Amino acid sequence: MKNKHKFSSLFIIVAFLTLFLTGCSNNSSSTAKKSSNNQITVNYTLKQGKKTVSDKSVKIPKKKAKVITGLKKAWKVQETKGFITSIDGKKQNPKKKIYWTYTINGKWATKGADKQAVANKDKVKFTLDKVK
């Protein structure tokens, strides 16, 4: 009878530990899924004329999914009212009509970088070149 009681106690302890550890592992994996669901990845390309000078994929929060968010995360940026004036020390030159312009997925942007929304896997290309 004593062996049967020990076996029952051992079974209860093992069952409890199994349920406890399973509950802990499921909780941490759902937290990881939630944090990855709150971010998007955007590909940024910087060009100077026709030459590509930099290309980066940047993770940004969905809530702040604007062009400027990822740009500032990856490079040193100067801007005026949402319009980019310098990226990593490469400045526009209004006297020579050289400006930073950008496209999203091959289409010209219609808003400043601080207002333009981006989605997961978007491709943003900034080009420093003469505007005609």
Side-chain angles (χ1 to χ4, degrees):
M1 182 81 164
K2 205 172 192 184
N3 277 342
K4 198 174 190 182
H5 184 23
K6 283 183 181 181
F7 179 73
S8 297
S9 297
L10 182 63
F11 178 77
I12 290 172
I13 291 171
V14 169
F16 175 75
L17 287 175
T18 302
L19 289 173
F20 177 75
L21 293 175
T22 302
C24 289
S25 68
N26 284 343
N27 191 16
S28 64
S29 103
S30 68
T31 302
K33 285 180 184 177
K34 283 182 183 178
S35 67
S36 68
N37 285 338
N38 291 329
Q39 290 196 334
I40 62 171
T41 301
V42 179
N43 183 281
Y44 287 84
T45 302
L46 300 184
K47 295 185 85 168
Q48 192 162 3
K50 293 182 179 183
K51 182 183 175 188
T52 299
V53 292
S54 187
D55 191 20
K56 295 181 183 180
S57 289
V58 183
K59 288 186 184 263
I60 58 175
K62 273 186 185 179
K63 288 183 180 181
K64 298 179 181 179
K66 304 288 184 204
V67 168
I68 200 154
T69 308
L71 189 66
K72 283 185 171 183
K73 187 172 181 181
W75 295 277
K76 184 179 177 187
V77 176
Q78 292 178 350
E79 49 131 344
T80 301
K81 297 181 183 176
F83 292 95
I84 307 305
T85 58
S86 174
I87 302 174
D88 268 0
K90 294 173 178 48
K91 296 181 181 183
Q92 61 186 23
N93 186 337
K95 289 181 183 177
K96 293 183 179 181
K97 296 185 179 180
I98 296 174
Y99 295 95
W100 279 108
T101 58
Y102 73 98
T103 60
I104 299 178
N105 301 322
K107 297 180 182 177
W108 289 103
T110 57
K111 300 176 185 175
D114 64 335
K115 303 279 189 240
Q116 182 65 53
V118 286
N120 195 34
K121 298 184 182 177
D122 274 352
K123 294 179 183 349
V124 180
K125 185 188 309 179
F126 276 87
T127 305
L128 181 63
D129 205 354
K130 190 168 190 170
V131 177
K132 299 172 186 175

